[in-house]
């Protein structure tokens, strides 16, 4: 993008969309609230709001006499795990990662669709992790899967922009394919080597990253259509 090369303009992060900054603020606030409570309460929050695949296994629940709770109790961790982080470093990495890619997506989608897109990618990441780690008792936390989805959508947007097109780059675009291969390779290596494992809890697993990324690639098209429709309605009202 041209503004990266113009020394007279401000860098993109200095004029990030409000939606991206608000989302980062929410992530920071959620972590701050958890670290301010007692260790016992902090662990209880992890146990209640982290994503734990074992809690969806009937065999595990029966063997340990665990009540899975209501449908809402079971659905909540698919979203709440996104807002929990192991420590300030984990949070900082996700926020730094979110800022550039989230800004690209927020500018194009607008705030409401941006937030919904972020959550759906996070949910897809949790579902993917569940599918590959059925019955695992390890808590999974972090916004990485959701941010992976933002990155995927941003790749399609930036590839199209460089090609001079207003439309999203197709899934078969060479740039998108290369970036996808690189991201998949990084995550497979992380999964094999154990890179990203925390000391107290497991961070978002590599399968969740790829699940969120794939969701971002596929959902970018429908969301872009919705965003264009919203812009048309606003222009008509104006």
């Amino acid at each position: 993008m041209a503004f990266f090369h113009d020394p007279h303009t401000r860098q993109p992060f200095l004029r990030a969309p409000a939606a991206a900054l608000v989302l980062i603020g929410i992530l920071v606030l959620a972590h701050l609230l958890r670290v301010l409570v007692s260790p016992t309460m902090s662990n209880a929050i992890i146990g209640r709001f982290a994503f734990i695949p074992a809690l969806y296994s009937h065999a595990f629940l029966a063997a340990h006499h665990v009540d899975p709770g209501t449908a809402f109790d079971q659905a909540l961790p698919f979203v709440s795990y996104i807002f929990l982080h192991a420590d300030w470093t984990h949070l900082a990495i996700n926020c730094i990662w979110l800022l550039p890619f989230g800004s690209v997506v927020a500018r194009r989608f607008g705030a409401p669709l941006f937030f919904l897109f972020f959550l759906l990618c996070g949910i897809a990441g949790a579902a993917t992790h569940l599918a590959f780690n059925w019955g695992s008792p390890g808590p999974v936390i972090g916004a990485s899967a959701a941010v992976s989805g933002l990155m995927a959508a941003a790749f399609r947007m930036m590839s199209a922009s460089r090609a001079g097109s207003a439309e999203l780059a197709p899934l078969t675009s060479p740039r998108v394919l290369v970036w996808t291969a690189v991201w998949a390779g990084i995550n497979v290596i992380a999964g094999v080597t154990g890179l990203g494992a925390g000391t107290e809890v497991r961070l978002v697993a590599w399968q969740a990253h790829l699940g969120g990324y794939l969701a971002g690639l596929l959902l970018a098209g429908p969301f872009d259509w919705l965003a264009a429709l919203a812009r048309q309605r606003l222009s008509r009202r104006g």
Side-chain angles (χ1 to χ4, degrees), residues 123-167:
I123 291 170
T128 304
H129 182 81
L130 177 64
F132 284 92
N133 297 273
W134 190 262
S136 170
V140 177
I141 60 175
S144 305
V147 179
S148 292
L150 294 178
M151 181 175 68
F155 282 168
R156 294 190 64 185
M157 295 172 187
M158 292 186 293
S159 294
S161 176
R162 291 182 178 181
S165 173
E167 302 295 328

Side-chain angles (χ1 to χ4, degrees), residues 31-178:
H31 184 67
L32 178 63
L33 292 176
R34 187 174 74 81
V35 299
L36 288 178
V37 300
S38 67
T40 300
M41 178 63 70
S42 179
N43 290 333
I45 291 173
I46 292 294
R48 174 66 181 87
F49 297 108
F51 186 79
I52 305 175
L55 297 182
Y56 301 89
S57 167
H58 293 295
F60 178 90
L61 295 174
H64 294 82
H65 307 288
V66 176
D67 181 2
T70 65
F72 176 80
D73 293 330
Q74 291 182 300
L76 182 60
F78 278 88
V79 173
S80 58
Y81 87 100
I82 299 171
F83 300 93
L84 298 175
H85 289 84
D87 50 39
W88 287 107
T89 300
H90 183 206
L91 173 66
I93 291 172
N94 277 338
C95 289
I96 292 171
W97 182 16
L98 187 157
L99 186 58
F101 297 116
S103 294
V104 171
V105 177
R107 289 191 186 102
R108 182 148 178 153
F109 286 174
L113 289 176
F114 167 72
F115 290 126
L116 179 59
F117 186 85
F118 176 82
L119 292 177
L120 288 178
C121 290
I123 291 170
T128 304
H129 182 81
L130 177 64
F132 284 92
N133 297 273
W134 190 262
S136 170
V140 177
I141 60 175
S144 305
V147 179
S148 292
L150 294 178
M151 181 175 68
F155 282 168
R156 294 190 64 185
M157 295 172 187
M158 292 186 293
S159 294
S161 176
R162 291 182 178 181
S165 173
E167 302 295 328
L168 292 178
L171 295 173
T172 55
S173 163
R175 288 183 182 274
V176 173
L177 290 177
V178 169

Side-chain angles (χ1 to χ4, degrees), residues 10-22 24 98-104 106-107:
R10 293 181 298 171
Q11 292 298 315
F13 72 89
L14 295 178
R15 48 192 175 92
L21 297 178
V22 166
I24 290 174
L98 187 157
L99 186 58
F101 297 116
S103 294
V104 171
R107 289 191 186 102

